[in-house]
């Protein structure tokens, strides 16, 4: 059993060349501005396996374009910026001012809320994931691409217990969101079968 893995767009130069072929209607200048904004905002942040954070952002764009066939420029800009409000000091207002209300709205949808002092972080996370059931189609595509990037190489995560809990969470909350969504439904089914060995009991994911 295999599943398709993305990650060829390691940097903006590569992504720009691929976009020129696959999605020439998308403004490389505007998307490049979003990449520069995200790179500055995320700074030296790394992914769990140690790769620069921007690689994840470009991977989400690659999944949307090369996998799901997305050509909506605002959605691709939102893909680049989807973590800037959650993980940096940039605000939703800054995103909207620079890149427009659609991008701001969609980034807002996928930004996990900070738990209040009296709230259980796991419950806040559950509510956030369950709330995506009512998300607009563009937000669903964005979240599905984001999660697919995060879990497509699940075996590279340095903590085995995180691999199992992330698998369980994805199967519980995200795979159902992919039902009926072109390309993503099949991609997540292949992924679920590929990592089925991780379905052993484990604590719920926390990050």
């Amino acid at each position: 059993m295999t599943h398709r893995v993305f990650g060829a767009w390691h940097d903006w130069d590569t992504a720009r060349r691929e976009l020129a072929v696959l999605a020439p209607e998308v403004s490389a200048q505007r998307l490049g501005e979003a990449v520069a904004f995200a790179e500055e905002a995320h700074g030296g942040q790394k992914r769990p396996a140690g790769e620069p954070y921007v690689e994840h952002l470009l991977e989400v764009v690659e999944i949307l374009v090369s996998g799901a066939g997305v050509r909506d420029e605002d959605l691709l800009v939102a893909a680049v910026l989807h973590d800037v409000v959650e993980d940096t000091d940039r605000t939703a207002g800054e995103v909207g001012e620079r890149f427009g209300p659609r991008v701001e709205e969609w980034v807002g949808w996928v930004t996990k809320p900070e738990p209040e002092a009296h709230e259980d972080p796991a419950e806040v996370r559950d509510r956030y994931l369950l709330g995506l059931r009512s998300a607009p189609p563009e937000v669903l595509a964005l979240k599905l691409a984001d999660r697919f990037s995060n879990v497509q190489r699940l075996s590279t995560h340095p903590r085995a217990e995180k691999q199992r809990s992330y698998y369980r969470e994805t199967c519980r909350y995200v795979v159902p969101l992919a039902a009926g969504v072109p390309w993503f439904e099949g991609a997540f089914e292949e992924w679920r079968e590929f990592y089925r060995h991780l379905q052993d009991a484990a604590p719920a994911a926390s990050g």
Side-chain angles (χ1 to χ4, degrees):
M1 180 70 186
T2 61
H3 81 100
R4 184 174 176 183
V5 175
F6 297 81
W9 298 13
H10 289 293
D11 53 55
W12 172 235
D13 284 341
T14 302
R16 183 175 53 195
R17 288 195 299 270
E18 293 295 323
L19 282 165
V21 175
L22 296 174
E25 63 271 42
V26 173
S27 168
Q29 178 177 345
R30 183 161 179 252
L31 205 58
E33 290 172 358
V35 171
F37 183 89
E39 284 183 322
E40 181 181 0
H42 286 285
Q45 290 177 3
K46 304 284 188 181
R47 300 297 288 163
E51 68 271 20
Y53 204 87
V54 70
E55 291 191 14
H56 164 63
L57 306 177
L58 293 174
E59 201 168 84
V60 175
V61 175
E62 181 187 0
I63 290 166
L64 287 169
V65 172
S66 184
V70 168
R71 298 295 183 267
D72 185 320
E73 187 175 299
D74 280 340
L75 182 50
L76 299 180
V77 170
V80 172
L81 302 175
H82 74 271
D83 277 334
V84 295
V85 176
E86 182 176 320
D87 292 340
T88 81
D89 61 1
R90 300 303 190 270
T91 66
E94 287 179 86
V95 170
E97 183 177 347
R98 288 284 300 274
F99 301 101
R102 293 175 88 214
V103 174
E104 180 182 358
E105 178 189 357
W106 297 339
V107 170
W109 265 99
V110 298
T111 298
K112 289 191 290 291
E114 284 290 328
E116 300 291 341
H118 64 281
E119 291 183 308
D120 179 351
E123 292 180 2
V124 173
R125 185 180 178 87
D126 285 350
R127 285 202 305 271
Y128 158 75
L129 291 167
L130 289 170
L132 291 169
R133 294 176 177 177
S134 61
E138 295 88 352
V139 172
L140 279 181
L142 173 55
K143 185 60 187 180
L144 291 169
D146 173 34
R147 179 56 69 104
F148 197 79
S149 171
N150 284 333
V151 301
Q152 64 172 344
R153 300 181 189 85
L154 199 51
S155 58
T156 68
H157 196 286
R159 293 165 47 207
E161 69 275 15
K162 181 66 172 181
Q163 294 179 25
R164 292 191 296 271
S165 61
Y166 216 21
Y167 177 84
R168 287 165 58 84
E169 182 188 77
T170 302
C171 289
R172 179 181 180 185
Y173 293 108
V174 181
V175 172
L177 293 176
V181 180
W183 189 80
F184 283 109
E185 181 173 23
F188 272 102
E189 282 300 323
E190 288 181 357
W191 171 86
R192 179 163 63 176
E193 288 300 315
F194 186 80
Y195 284 109
R196 187 170 287 277
H197 62 281
L198 295 175
Q199 66 185 348
D200 298 336
S206 60

